[in-house]
Amino acid sequence: MNAPGPDALRRRMLDAARDILREPDTPLDLRKVAERAGKSRTAPYLVFGKESEGGGVLALRIAVAAEGAREMADAMGEAADPLDDPIEGFHAVALAFLDFVAAEPRLFRLMYGPEINAVSRLGTAGFRDHPEFSRLLRHRTRAGGVIGGLIERGQRSGLLRPEAFEGPGASSAGSTDDVLETPRARYLQIAWSTMIGVALLRDDQLLQAIDWQISREQGARLIVESVFGLDPGRMGEATQAFLASHGVENSDADELDELAPHEVARAMTSLDADETVVVMREASLPFAANVPLGQALDRYPGLRRAAFSNRLRSRPRILWIDDHPEWIAPEVETLQRLGAETVLARSTDEALRILAAAGPGAARPVQAIVSDIARGSRPDAGVRALPELARSAPGVPVIFFVADLDPERGVPEGAAGITNRTDELLHLLVDVLERRA
């Protein structure tokens, strides 16, 4: 019987190593791998070389980690490919990543643990030229490319802060530190840090022992929110300089797509990004917070997305039902500044009269409805009104904007969403308007 060739022997060694990593306690060393593969103790050295030359068990571990990185990148890429929406795509990728880690916990710890970092003892030139390390780096980079592609899509759609405006006087040269400080690079750093952190916490047996656990869905949401719910570099010196630069003159709607977010808002409102105060309501605050326009655009992805939205700039008609319009005046003003026409109604009856006059056949029909829920003496007036609103305005989505949100109760049946945050309301409105386009 002929001895296996080098490729077949390598495959047998890697398969044996993977089998060992699926066992909780068996050490991953050359002797165990050789035994599991049914080969002599010298066989691994024929594949991975001598310890003194960067081979041996270190090369084996790097090779196994590269296999894991390849499978992880494949799974993440397959999850992202069919989805156009960057948030949906990022959520699918987060789930694929967590599923990979859950199926191969020891392999994951090997891929991102100290055993692989031992390659640094070979010196920069040594490990960069190491063939096994080159494979690992290639597949890690491919996985990073999946995340980077979703981040770029989020930037193009206005969900994430774009790269710095390169106008007159901007320098194309920069240090490595400058590159690492670009928005896309920082989003990528935040994404990977959170993904690896969540994966490690989910595998932490001490936390599990005290019933502090992160479910698969919770983990995926944390990962998505780390990027799409957090804007890095909030009003640092570089951001302030960016917001203060490049004024907008004579911009029309066709030109706005090419502008930075603060410039979009400045062009629409004729207000100064650093001085104008907008009001943003957050779930963590019992009140609406006054925020300078520049900070708000840098901090709130929903506001920035709305500023880029062609649907809002086309002056959609939005019906807002609330028996206390003074309480939602800041949100109404924000929508008007962004381009929407907002019609107010204090009761369901008044809303139905407006819808009857501005139905589908009208010159400017209502395209979305925002409503409270508690109204007068009825704590569920808004929910009770849903069937009547659906009959009067078929297909027009209803979003609830409430003071107190109970996440456990979810979205009322028949509604398109519910929130108590201005930023999330803008996300929901852009979503429903784009779906109706």
Side-chain angles (χ1 to χ4, degrees), residues 167-359:
S171 172
S172 59
S175 66
T176 302
D177 288 342
D178 293 333
V179 173
L180 293 176
E181 287 298 310
T182 64
R184 191 170 303 155
R186 295 186 69 188
Y187 285 126
L188 191 59
Q189 292 163 3
I190 289 169
W192 275 117
S193 299
T194 309
M195 289 167 71
I196 294 171
V198 167
L200 291 174
L201 287 174
R202 292 190 73 226
D203 192 43
D204 191 307
Q205 295 181 2
L206 289 177
L207 293 178
Q208 293 172 13
I210 59 172
D211 292 328
W212 194 92
Q213 299 182 34
I214 300 174
S215 70
R216 174 177 179 266
E217 280 293 336
Q218 287 171 331
R221 180 167 181 169
L222 285 170
I223 292 167
V224 173
E225 288 182 346
S226 74
V227 174
F228 288 94
L230 172 66
D231 200 358
R234 294 180 182 176
M235 290 306 289
E237 291 182 5
T239 307
Q240 292 182 40
F242 171 59
L243 288 172
S245 65
H246 310 298
V248 179
E249 298 178 1
N250 302 320
S251 297
D252 59 28
D254 291 333
E255 294 171 322
L256 288 173
D257 284 334
E258 301 301 319
L259 302 177
H262 72 286
E263 295 173 313
V264 174
R266 191 181 291 173
M268 290 186 298
T269 62
S270 300
L271 299 171
D272 185 85
D274 295 320
E275 296 179 2
T276 303
V277 170
V278 294
V279 179
M280 301 297 290
R281 211 179 302 265
E282 296 188 23
S284 59
L285 299 175
F287 53 85
N290 294 331
V291 186
L293 178 61
Q295 284 193 38
L297 287 162
D298 199 37
R299 178 174 177 180
Y300 295 102
L303 177 62
R304 189 168 55 254
R305 181 187 179 198
F308 270 110
S309 172
N310 288 323
R311 295 297 300 149
L312 280 174
R313 290 205 298 274
S314 65
R315 291 194 58 74
R317 203 170 195 196
I318 298 172
L319 173 60
W320 197 312
I321 312 169
D322 198 299
D323 59 343
H324 288 281
E326 69 276 11
W327 292 353
I328 45 92
E331 284 77 17
V332 171
E333 183 180 355
T334 296
L335 283 173
Q336 291 172 340
R337 288 182 180 180
L338 290 166
E341 177 190 349
T342 307
V343 183
L344 294 174
R346 290 176 176 266
S347 66
T348 300
D349 288 343
E350 186 179 356
L352 293 174
R353 287 195 296 272
I354 293 171
L355 289 172

Side-chain angles (χ1 to χ4, degrees), residues 58-237:
L58 176 60
L60 166 69
R61 289 170 177 168
I62 297 172
V64 175
E67 284 277 295
R70 177 183 60 79
E71 292 177 14
M72 181 182 73
D74 288 346
M76 291 167 61
E78 289 170 6
D81 278 346
L83 299 170
D84 294 327
D85 182 271
I87 294 180
E88 287 185 32
F90 202 73
H91 182 258
V93 166
L95 289 173
F97 171 80
L98 293 176
D99 288 344
F100 170 81
V101 176
E104 302 277 2
R106 283 190 69 191
L107 175 60
F108 173 75
R109 290 196 298 271
L110 175 70
M111 289 163 56
Y112 289 97
E115 295 164 307
I116 296 302
N117 292 332
V119 74
S120 61
R121 70 172 183 248
L122 301 176
T124 302
F127 76 75
R128 289 200 180 278
D129 293 337
H130 196 292
E132 304 297 351
F133 183 80
S134 297
R135 293 187 184 93
L136 173 60
L137 188 61
R138 182 170 69 252
H139 295 307
R140 273 195 183 183
T141 301
R142 195 159 56 87
V146 175
I147 300 297
L150 292 166
I151 289 169
E152 185 176 357
R153 268 191 265 168
Q155 290 177 306
R156 286 201 305 267
S157 63
L159 290 167
L160 298 175
R161 184 159 59 98
E163 301 305 283
F165 180 85
E166 294 184 4
S171 172
S172 59
S175 66
T176 302
D177 288 342
D178 293 333
V179 173
L180 293 176
E181 287 298 310
T182 64
R184 191 170 303 155
R186 295 186 69 188
Y187 285 126
L188 191 59
Q189 292 163 3
I190 289 169
W192 275 117
S193 299
T194 309
M195 289 167 71
I196 294 171
V198 167
L200 291 174
L201 287 174
R202 292 190 73 226
D203 192 43
D204 191 307
Q205 295 181 2
L206 289 177
L207 293 178
Q208 293 172 13
I210 59 172
D211 292 328
W212 194 92
Q213 299 182 34
I214 300 174
S215 70
R216 174 177 179 266
E217 280 293 336
Q218 287 171 331
R221 180 167 181 169
L222 285 170
I223 292 167
V224 173
E225 288 182 346
S226 74
V227 174
F228 288 94
L230 172 66
D231 200 358
R234 294 180 182 176
M235 290 306 289
E237 291 182 5

Side-chain angles (χ1 to χ4, degrees), residues 48-66:
F48 300 109
K50 300 177 181 178
E51 294 269 3
S52 59
E53 298 172 355
V57 70
L58 176 60
L60 166 69
R61 289 170 177 168
I62 297 172
V64 175

